[in-house]
Amino acid sequence: MSCRAVRRLQATLGRRGTFLLIIGVGKTCWGVSFLVNPPRPDGLQLLTRVCSLHHWSWLWIGAGLITAGSAFLRVGRDGYGFYAALLPPSVWATAYLAAAVSGEYSRGAFVALWYLTSHVGVILWAATVPEHSVPPAPRRRKGKGP
């Protein structure tokens, strides 16, 4: 029963939807972690001048919920999920880059590059993945040899 439900969910979501759901849940969890146990704001002075990380966590949570919700939309309408997924890591990368340039956080350039490649780059790549499925593997017939 559960395997059938998983297959049905996978068929409903498709490749792009599955990606959006996974990344949306991840962003939401990351945002909740800022609420539960905020990290040190090293390198995020650009953001913390505006408001606390507790408040910035809602950017991650909101973007995560929009991203996860967009997983259930048809291809072509799921673009909002990709835009929402791009917003928080782009903001964080900008803050870390600004901290590196200003000299406030020496590791900022590396962290910004990490956000730009492992988050922004992956999301931009996934947004270009066409929604099609690979044909299923041929099934073995009963009574026939390998």
Side-chain angles (χ1 to χ4, degrees):
M1 171 94 150
S2 64
C3 289
R4 191 178 332 160
V6 169
R7 282 193 300 270
R8 185 177 301 163
L9 180 63
Q10 216 170 15
T12 300
L13 294 176
R15 293 167 64 181
R16 293 166 57 98
T18 300
F19 176 81
L20 286 171
L21 184 62
I22 291 169
I23 204 162
V25 169
K27 288 185 183 312
T28 303
C29 291
W30 186 247
V32 170
S33 78
F34 280 97
L35 286 176
V36 174
N37 189 11
R40 293 176 44 125
D42 297 341
L44 296 172
Q45 291 84 357
L46 182 67
L47 301 178
T48 56
R49 285 185 197 124
V50 177
C51 58
S52 72
L53 287 180
H54 177 85
H55 292 97
W56 280 107
S57 69
W58 288 102
L59 174 67
W60 286 92
I61 294 169
L65 292 174
I66 291 169
T67 302
S70 295
F72 297 94
L73 299 177
R74 289 191 332 242
V75 174
R77 297 191 182 258
D78 61 358
Y80 294 113
F82 289 103
Y83 288 125
L86 283 171
L87 187 59
S90 299
V91 169
W92 252 243
T94 302
Y96 280 118
L97 193 58
V101 169
S102 70
E104 291 177 358
Y105 189 58
S106 60
R107 290 186 59 222
F110 299 107
V111 179
L113 188 60
W114 178 72
Y115 270 109
L116 291 172
T117 56
S118 67
H119 292 275
V120 174
V122 170
I123 294 164
L124 288 173
W125 168 80
T128 65
V129 171
E131 184 59 55
H132 68 282
S133 61
V134 178
R139 294 187 174 200
R140 296 174 114 183
R141 294 183 184 169
K142 292 183 181 182
K144 298 276 186 173

